[in-house]
Amino acid sequence: MHSSRMHFSIPDTQELGSSPTYTAYNIHINGIHHCVLRYKQLHSLNDQLRRHCVGVPLPPFPPKRLLPLTNGQLEARRSSLEQYLQAVGQDNRLARSAHLQQYLQRAQLDTALAEGQVATDCEEQQLEVQVYTNPAGERILVNCSVQQNASALLKSVCRELQLPDELVRFFCLFLVRRQRKSGELHLVRRLMDFESPYITRLHVQPCELLLRTCYWDSSRDAKLTGSKVALNLLYNQTVADVNREWVVICTPGEGRQLNSLQMQGRAREYMDLVRQLPSYGCLQFDEAQVDYPEPDTMALISIGNKELALRTARGVKIYETKFRVTRMRSWRVSVTHNTLESRLEPTHLQLAFEYLIGKQTLRWITINSEQAMLMSVCLQAMVDELLQRGTGSGKDQNSDEEQEQNAVTSSSSTPSSTCSTSTWASSSCSTSTAPTTPPVRFLSEDSAPRSKPRLTTSRTFGAVFFRNDVVDNGARVANGAFEGIGDDDL
């Protein structure tokens, strides 16, 4: 019911160790710093994927070199590794692999250990999660391990709420930030199984965790209404979305009717009415700069109901333009890093999509927003859901759940599940075929003095493409839901 694809970038490198030093690559996933890896560790990952993902073609991996690399060769390797990871992250067969997700999760944990962000790999913490047990939301404390991934934490939260196990897959965890002045909710990131929610949250403070539904097809609400707990979560989430105007009430009469049903506590009738509103089931994003209908236009953006919508003001009037995801021939998400601050938020994020606005007429439309990564993840999830529905959603949903369960099982069986303080050795690296072997080892902080990151340019640029035509490079993926249309269909 959701996409597992990842957006990788490697904005810069670091010199680590001493006598001799070695080059380490700062890996960002979905716009946030994730881990630090050496070339040979990425080479080991490529070997593991080749062994375990039989029948799935891998993108070309940068070759080994016998002699020390010049600055120009190091920059070429950084760029090639970035392209390799982008291609891996955009192939759903590879991105969903338990081996890749476990590798990345362990890499994040080992980086956090090396940098002193966590003390041991079995450290226990508490996380505060906001849940919609009422329209205002309630914060509950959940015990977690720093090595737990998103699915494991999600199950703990749902267990605390006494949500039936079979309904957990309809929910997910978001990182959100509240605006200081207005208190409005700002979506930061949807948590995935390749990361530890506890560690990821450290990189994007101040943030809080929020439990929300994770599907786009509103007909799936019916799956939740048979459970009192699930219906209560869905109802209160919807009331909160109406109150914050994520769901737009079209007429005063509808508003009065919804208020009356809410006052009477008639949750099912409330949901039946609100489900008829065009903006129900949409996620609202912050105001962003777009180039439609003209350059430098400011617009509020929402995604849902198989559409991306722009609301723009022209004088005293508000206009809404809707772009159907099935008319997006391709899209790309790009990030420009200031390498001096690459561990902080990227300096510029952009989502651009190629839209079929008329017969034989395509136009690129761009959105400049710090939420561009999440927008892309949402578009891909809608496409995946449409394709699942077209090929038999029941079968695909079951396989999704089995894949997620496999990833969780593999991750929990790593040697790190035994409490111990890691011993670091700069020369060690996983070459074992066993998927449970931790893939990353670093020097400890006190024995590995860090120099400043190697800066090849003042800014680096990376982009990931989603396309519906012939795959002509490793970073391009088909949008299988794209439909050709004529002018009369617009």
Side-chain angles (χ1 to χ4, degrees), residues 312-339:
T312 57
R314 297 178 222 170
V316 296
K317 294 184 178 180
I318 303 295
Y319 293 84
E320 184 173 55
T321 308
K322 295 184 176 181
F323 301 93
R324 297 165 65 181
V325 71
T326 53
R327 303 302 188 241
M328 294 179 185
R329 180 172 178 262
S330 62
W331 72 85
R332 66 171 180 258
V333 59
S334 56
V335 53
T336 306
H337 289 278
N338 180 341
T339 55

Side-chain angles (χ1 to χ4, degrees), residues 31 49 63 88 132 136 138 141 145 157 183 199 207 210 237 251 329-330 340 360 371 373 384 387 414 421 450 463 467:
L49 292 177
V88 168
Y132 285 115
E138 173 192 2
L141 280 176
S145 164
V157 173
I199 297 174
C207 259
L210 174 68
Q237 172 185 296
T251 66
R329 180 172 178 262
S330 62
L340 292 171
Q360 305 296 322
Q371 296 171 300
M373 288 288 185
D384 289 347
L387 295 177
T414 63
T421 303
R450 292 166 178 260
R467 298 190 65 86

Side-chain angles (χ1 to χ4, degrees), residues 377-434:
V377 169
C378 292
L379 290 176
Q380 189 60 56
M382 278 197 294
V383 168
D384 289 347
E385 207 168 271
L386 285 169
L387 295 177
Q388 286 177 9
R389 190 166 57 185
T391 59
S393 60
K395 178 180 178 181
D396 286 346
Q397 287 174 19
N398 290 337
S399 63
D400 284 353
E401 195 168 4
E402 290 172 5
Q403 180 70 42
E404 290 170 3
Q405 181 62 42
N406 289 340
V408 172
T409 301
S410 297
S411 178
S412 63
S413 65
T414 63
S416 63
S417 61
T418 301
C419 185
S420 63
T421 303
S422 297
T423 302
W424 307 99
S426 62
S427 61
S428 63
C429 174
S430 169
T431 56
S432 169
T433 59

Side-chain angles (χ1 to χ4, degrees), residues 298-315:
M298 299 305 294
L300 285 174
I301 298 164
S302 63
I303 293 179
N305 295 323
K306 298 178 287 186
E307 297 170 334
L308 184 151
L310 304 180
R311 273 186 281 166
T312 57
R314 297 178 222 170

Side-chain angles (χ1 to χ4, degrees), residues 259-318:
N259 285 334
S260 175
L261 292 171
Q262 183 182 349
M263 293 294 293
Q264 298 173 52
R266 296 164 62 183
R268 293 180 187 275
E269 292 89 340
Y270 185 99
M271 292 303 305
D272 289 340
L273 178 59
V274 78
R275 202 175 289 116
Q276 299 173 27
L277 299 177
S279 55
Y280 173 72
C282 294
L283 288 183
Q284 183 73 52
F285 296 85
D286 297 344
E287 189 177 44
Q289 184 187 67
V290 302
D291 64 353
Y292 186 91
E294 55 190 34
D296 301 323
T297 298
M298 299 305 294
L300 285 174
I301 298 164
S302 63
I303 293 179
N305 295 323
K306 298 178 287 186
E307 297 170 334
L308 184 151
L310 304 180
R311 273 186 281 166
T312 57
R314 297 178 222 170
V316 296
K317 294 184 178 180
I318 303 295

Side-chain angles (χ1 to χ4, degrees), residues 19 33 39 83 150 163 169 197 200 205 229 240 244 256 275 296 311 322 356 373 391 418 485:
S19 300
H33 180 265
Y39 169 83
Q83 292 175 25
L163 183 73
R169 63 192 177 96
T200 297
Q205 292 280 33
V229 173
R244 63 172 65 101
R256 288 191 295 270
R275 202 175 289 116
D296 301 323
R311 273 186 281 166
K322 295 184 176 181
L356 189 62
M373 288 288 185
T391 59
T418 301
I485 57 172

Side-chain angles (χ1 to χ4, degrees), residues 333-334 349-351 367 369-377:
V333 59
S334 56
L349 283 162
Q350 182 186 87
L351 174 74
I367 301 171
S369 168
E370 64 178 17
Q371 296 171 300
M373 288 288 185
L374 181 57
M375 292 179 192
S376 178
V377 169

